[in-house]
Amino acid sequence: MRIFGFVIIFVAILLTILSSFNYIPAIPSALKGLIDTASFICVMGPVLGGCLIAYGSEWGAAFKPRPNREEAAIAVGVYKLAVRISIGAGLFGTMFGWIAMLGNMGGGGMDISALYGGLAVSLITILYGLVFAFTLLLPLQYYFQHQLDKDS
């Protein structure tokens, strides 16, 4: 499981880098705006991979609706880690976007669309990281912490 976690993180970061530098075609124009597949992968890939690395097969406890005390303790740890990784992965994506953007600024033949593409990746990735951390993962952490406190 831990090796699978490393593979997920590596593939997610690789796809984000390739997308930032326009080696992977952009998504259809109907889905543009706040939907960016590379940014989603950049955030969720490291979250899933990091949790697999840290907790191995025990991380399945984070998805049980009625956990026992031990499973609730594991779930709290998983979601604490997931919140931190989500924010950090959003920052990684921001850096990739900035690097892509600045890389396209050199020389006389500056490609404005590539410049804006890097900027979009950087902003959307940090947005995804923060949204997942504070609207999904943190509430789940508190839910399982509440379950753990109830059993005490």
Side-chain angles (χ1 to χ4, degrees), residues 26-51:
I27 58 175
S29 60
L31 298 176
K32 287 194 177 189
L34 290 177
I35 299 174
D36 185 44
T37 308
S39 297
F40 179 80
I41 291 170
C42 182
V43 173
M44 293 312 290
V47 167
L48 295 174
C51 289

Side-chain angles (χ1 to χ4, degrees), residues 107-120:
M110 185 167 69
D111 184 8
I112 296 296
S113 64
L115 181 75
Y116 290 143
L119 180 62

Side-chain angles (χ1 to χ4, degrees), residues 49-72:
C51 289
L52 280 173
I53 292 168
Y55 289 93
S57 61
E58 293 179 336
W59 82 297
F63 302 104
K64 292 193 175 180
R66 300 270 188 256
N68 62 32
R69 182 164 176 68
E70 182 181 323
E71 292 168 340

Side-chain angles (χ1 to χ4, degrees), residues 64-95:
K64 292 193 175 180
R66 300 270 188 256
N68 62 32
R69 182 164 176 68
E70 182 181 323
E71 292 168 340
I74 291 169
V76 167
V78 167
Y79 286 116
K80 277 184 182 179
L81 177 64
V83 166
R84 291 180 179 144
I85 293 174
S86 177
I87 294 169
L91 290 173
F92 282 149
T94 300
M95 293 297 117

